[in-house]
Amino acid sequence: AKALAEVKPSDSTLFYSVTTQVLIAEVGSVKNGYVTVEVKTQRQETFSRTEEPRLSYQTLTITLAQVGKGWLIDNAKWK
């Protein structure tokens, strides 16, 4: 990413965006205070120089740890 001071006036019309939508979230069983969630996603990438967005599918594996009465993210990895 460019620092704000490095952006040239001609660069101001360029952009890149990613939108991620969750399709399915599968929750595994709780073991020793941890649970794994497989999140299947659809990602749409848009570049200012191309007209058509690019679609891709990706899985995110999240491990949650039980802390008290709540759950916190212990690990997250894209596959």
Side-chain angles (χ1 to χ4, degrees), residues 7-19:
V7 175
K8 298 174 187 171
S10 62
D11 290 342
S12 64
T13 58
L14 302 178
F15 70 91
Y16 170 74
S17 71
V18 177
T19 303

Side-chain angles (χ1 to χ4, degrees), residues 34-65:
Y34 290 89
V35 66
T36 299
V37 181
E38 293 283 326
V39 182
K40 298 184 187 307
T41 67
Q42 178 187 51
R43 299 180 65 171
Q44 178 177 311
E45 293 180 272
T46 304
F47 301 87
S48 62
R49 293 186 179 187
T50 60
E51 294 180 21
E52 294 295 320
R54 186 175 81 181
L55 289 178
S56 62
Y57 296 88
Q58 199 167 11
T59 300
L60 177 64
T61 302
I62 302 172
T63 303
L64 301 170

